[in-house]
Structure formats: C-alpha cells, structure tokens
Amino acid sequence: MMTVTLGLGAQPSSWTADNGNGTFTNPLFYDEFSDPDIIRVGDDYYLAGTTMHSVPGLVILHSKDLVNWTNVSYCFDRFDFPDDAFSLRDHKEIYGQGIWAPAIRYANGLFYVFSNVNGKGLQCYTSKNIRGPWKHHDMQGRIYDLSVLFDDDGKIYAIHGYGEVKCTELKPDMSGPIEATERTIIPEGNAVGEGHHMYKINGMYYLISTDYKPNGRTLCSRSKSIWGPYETITITADETFGYYAAPLTEVPQDVKYRIGEDGTRFGIPTVNKDATACTNIHQGGIVEDQSGQWWALLMMDFHSIGRTVTLAPITWKDGWPMIGLEGNLGRAPRTWFKPQTVSGTGQHTVPHAPYDRQEDFDGKTLGRVWQWNHNPDDSKWSLKNGRLRLQSLPAEQLMWARNTLTQRVIGPTSITTVELYTRGMKDGDVAGLGNINVPCSWIGIVKEGSNLTLRCFEQLTNDTIVVPVDMVGGKIWLRSIGDYDNNQAQYAYSLDGVTFHTLGRMMPLSYQLITFQGSRHALFAFNHRGQKGGYAEFDNFTVSEPNADRSGNIPYGKTFRIINVATGLPAIALKHGLLYDTQFTDKSPQTRFRIIDQGHGQVILQCEDGRYVFCAGHGIAGDVRLTTDLSKAEVFMWQDYLDHEFMLLSMRTHRYVGKSPTTGSPYSMDFIGADPARRNGAVFRWEE
C-alpha cells in the first residue's frame, strides 16, 4: 500500500482534492474511477469502483474524511473464468465488458462486493477484512447494475434494471437469487434509469438512480415499502462544474473493426461544448458522516480521462436528499468545506493522493496503481534487477498485445516518462509506451532483423512516423505529454534523458463506449511477426503533474483584474455603486481588486478604491454593489477552476456572482452555476 503524502509546508506533487485549509475541490480524483459506491463502517469510509477488463479487479479505496483516499484492496487478482477472452487469447477479448458497477455493503461482520460479469452473471466477493483475502461467490442470474439492501428483517434484496426497476431476494449464503422472488417495483414510464443505490433511512426506502435520456440526471425514488409504490423526483441535474463533454469515438458498424488495425474507420467528432450530455454529476451513492451530514459521491464523464468522482453535500428538503445547498438545490459547489467526520469536530488528515504513480520497479511487487490489460501470462513477465521485464508475445497491434501493463492517465495535465532497454529484443519485436484507448496510439522501438528504429503510431489516422536512432547502451527515454482537459496528447523521446524531441502531432483524444474506459498509459512488448520474441525492460516510470500544486491559485496578496470568461471584458466598480464591465483597458482603481482572506477558502472582494462588494436585494434583482461598510461585505467561497479561472459563491445565498453576456444588465448574485462551455457569465479569470 502506497500513498503520496505531504509533510508540513509541502505542496502536493499529485492531485489531491484536499486544499489544506479545511476545504476540498472537485474532482476527488483527477483520474478515472467509474460507478462509485460508498459505505461507512464506524469511522471508516470505503469506496468501490468499476475496473471492467483490467486486473486486479474491483478496486476499493479507504478514507477517514471522504476527501483523502488510499487504495487498500482489489477483490481479485485475475478473472478465474477459463475462457480465452478473459486472457486476450486467440483474438478473443472482453473489452467493454469484464466486471462493472459494484455495490459494496457491510453486514453480519462481513464486507460484501456485488457486481456483474458480462456473460457470467452476478458475482459476489466476501471478506472479514477489507484488505482481503476475498472469497468469490458465482451467483449467476441475470442481475446487473444493481444495488443490494440488507433489510432489518434479515432479508437481502437486489434492486436492478433500467426504466422498469425490479427487486429480487438473494440467498443468505450468496449461492444465488431466490427463485420466483423477482418483482417489478417501479414500472416503466416513471423516468427512472439505472445505476441503483438503495438505502433504508428512518424506515423509508430511498432508491438513488441515474437516467441518461436525454442526458444524465440523478433521481431519487422513495416508498414506505421495498415493493412500492414509489414516487420519484430529480435531485440534481446539469451540474457539470463548467466542463463540456468529451468527444465520443464514433464506432463503425462492422464489429470486427471495433479494436482492429484500420483506425480510419473510427471518428472523433467535433463536440457540442454547450451540451450537458453525461458530463454532469450523476451515478453514485450517498453516505451519512458522523456529524449527521449526508454526502453524495457521484461520477461524471470527464473528458478523455474517463469517469471521475465528485463529493457533494446533501440538503434534506421535505424528506428528499437534494444535492447541493439551501438556496441552490440541484447544483453543487466545486469547492466546499470538508466533512466533519469525527464527532462533529473534524479530523486532521495529511492531504494525500490515493496512489503513488511513480515506479522504479525495485520492489518484489508492482505498485497498486498498476493493472494488466486482461489476465496476464505470469510466466512471461518479471521484476528483475530493478526493472520490469516483458517478454514479447505474438500480436498484430497494441490492443491485442498480452501482458500490457497499464495505469490511468491523470489530469488536468501530466507528463509521463519511462526508460526503455532494448538489448533483449529480437526480430519483429515492438516495445514502448502507449495509450490503451480506442483509437489507440504508441511510441516505441521496433526491431527488424538487426536494425532498431523509433516509431510513433496513431491508430486514428493509421499514421506511422519512423525515426532512425543511435541509442547508447540500448536505452531510450519515452514520454507522453497529456493535456486531458483539452483532450489531446503528444509523444516525445530522448537519447540522454535530458533533451526531449516531440514526435508526431498533438493527437486528439476521446472517451468511448467500446472499452468503457478513458485513456490509459501502457507499457507493452509484442512481436508483430506472430513469433515468440525476446524481451524489453522498463525502468523509472515517472508522472509529473504541473497543476497538482494549487497553492497559488487564489490570488492572496495580489492586485488583479476580473475578466468575465463569457465576454472577455474586465469588471469595473462604477462610481454609481454597481459592478459592471468595461470595454476599456485602463488601469483605474475601479478595475483593480484584491481579496481579504476570511479563512477556510472564504474571501471578501475589495476594489482598490477601498469599497467592498456586497449584494443588495434578492433573486435576479439582487444587484452586486459596492459599499464602504466592511460589515456589509459579502463573504464568498472561492471556487477554483484552475488556470486562474474561478467563481464566487455567496456564503449567504449559495448563489454565484455573474453577468449575462447578452442583456447588458449589471452583475447580480443569482447565478446557479456554470454552464458546460462557461459562456453564461458566471466564470471569471483573474489577471495580476
């Protein structure tokens, strides 16, 4: 178990949501974690997520504060089904299948993780210890995307289905469903979706689910009986935190080309940046902390990274668990106070990332961040003399290469570098650093006869760039430069580890529903001639995250202008007493601002002429005005959107400052949040 932790005064080298001041900023992880399900056992929180075809499978994270997490377990090391498809043999695969949408529960002194494997039915893993070992129960039965409820009377219910929601009793020994117990509890036609999470709270049954038609929304259904009838409302919609959907890989109709060589059959369309699609927070679970506050951990489709997890406060309203804060229900702050997780007083946790992404391969085992693409052949890889050795197995291209070792990319930007040693390679061997996605890409060394050449391959265009190289000692450094918020990446190489040369274009990246995963770094070795080749060795895998340190993102002690992202115009504090914008770029005191720190991420905004920002009135008519009375100044929670972009959330109304880019009205404090393209006038950029 490894985590990246920070000492006193240290700044994060890997993304952590913890701001170190009693607040957190979403996403919890800036890498993929799909279909989150959450439980609390005493003072401990456990989060389970989808792993699809990758192994080890069914990841479990642990936290004490719902913000800082550590990877503590996987439910299995490899799929124990004998089928060739689970091991990527004989051109059979389980891309986009495998194991997904888990439900984690604790009852009877045991941890339970339920999930579905395509074609194999319902699976359950049990353990007395969250770290394992785990016992596998093959329950079969066509129950998937489920939630499980251990009811007060000892009965165990599985809730499943899309649109038409069904409930089935399970046998206590986890040997399967109880025959003839399946019943429809919510008929089709009630706008209910899938991804169910069932809870019994104060005697009432609550079902959290997600509907993606026409776009992602989170719903809650409630009933006094597990069997219904249920009433349903939407508890959050359109909360994208100002991010638009990633382009979705267009899939050809001919199935044999789904992961095949001809990438020109795929397409990456231009995305509609104004559309919500499934970028908004949707599927996930809810949990009550020790102080009685409820929280939702929901996923969102987050660019080419894949699906990430967000943490949102819940406000109970008329018996419904509404996402968000009073005065702005249905939306959620990107930055908010950390949960009070121990007796309502909070607990100090050193901010840390869930994984250590760096790997020197000096240990006896791989770091927890690594997963294999399908079941590996354990006789064909090893950790030897401080390096990872991969033997070359026959494959036409990267997506068919067995023993490919992967880890998720991390955003918003990151630079990944690895050393490749080539002296063990034989004729036809290909080895390097790639991106397991559809379409895929890679940079690496190809050996033809006795000649070694550097190649860069992009499947989308079927382009191959070949560069002759003269490696000292058979060693080369390979690099991937990722700008994942903008869905693009580029490869580079170095012959001395100091000077790097880019190779190929800045490639477009996408999310896709073929593997149901985002971009993944891949260390690979295969033989394109269909032979059992030699081997390649890898060392010193490093990931640099330029945006991980957010300590300078709030402009404490600076004088700055406020530029509205939607209009590109700076804000001006009119002498008339209103906050407006100006076409002029003069540097009068009325266009210059500073912040007064109120602690815990809260600030007061002051114009350089000495006046303070406050809100006069209510709702849409609530002007943003200026006052010389500090006691009237509005207190805001600074919402960090990275790259000097931000929003201002009123701590009094839980609404945002904004200005319509079209009406000509002055600034008001009744904006509910950002739209996906950040064009509605609520997102700003500060310029020192």
Side-chain angles (χ1 to χ4, degrees), residues 258-270:
R258 288 175 61 140
I259 60 168
E261 195 79 48
D262 187 0
T264 61
R265 297 286 302 274
F266 297 113
I268 299 181
T270 301

Side-chain angles (χ1 to χ4, degrees), residues 13-128:
S13 59
S14 186
W15 177 275
T16 169
D18 195 328
N19 294 318
N21 62 358
T23 69
F24 68 91
T25 294
N26 283 308
L28 284 183
F29 324 118
Y30 227 110
D31 62 333
E32 186 169 64
F33 194 101
S34 301
D35 306 321
D37 194 31
I38 179 77
I39 60 169
R40 176 168 70 90
V41 181
D43 291 334
D44 297 285
Y45 298 87
Y46 301 103
L47 188 68
T50 285
T51 48
M52 301 305 291
H53 55 275
S54 303
V55 294
L58 285 188
V59 61
I60 299 174
L61 307 184
H62 166 258
S63 177
K64 284 287 189 179
D65 63 2
L66 285 171
V67 173
N68 295 281
W69 295 85
T70 302
N71 180 353
V72 294
S73 188
Y74 291 94
C75 288
F76 58 90
D77 290 331
R78 61 191 298 125
F79 292 103
D80 52 7
F81 304 105
D83 309 41
D84 286 344
F86 289 91
S87 298
L88 203 60
R89 288 193 297 253
D90 195 25
H91 274 211
K92 297 177 182 178
E93 39 81 13
I94 54 167
Y95 285 118
Q97 301 180 66
I99 196 158
W100 45 279
I104 184 170
R105 293 293 181 262
Y106 181 78
N108 311 313
L110 286 176
F111 289 97
Y112 297 78
V113 181
F114 300 86
S115 197
N116 172 75
V117 173
N118 290 67
K120 301 298 181 181
L122 180 61
Q123 312 297 313
C124 178
Y125 298 85
T126 59
S127 176
K128 292 182 179 180

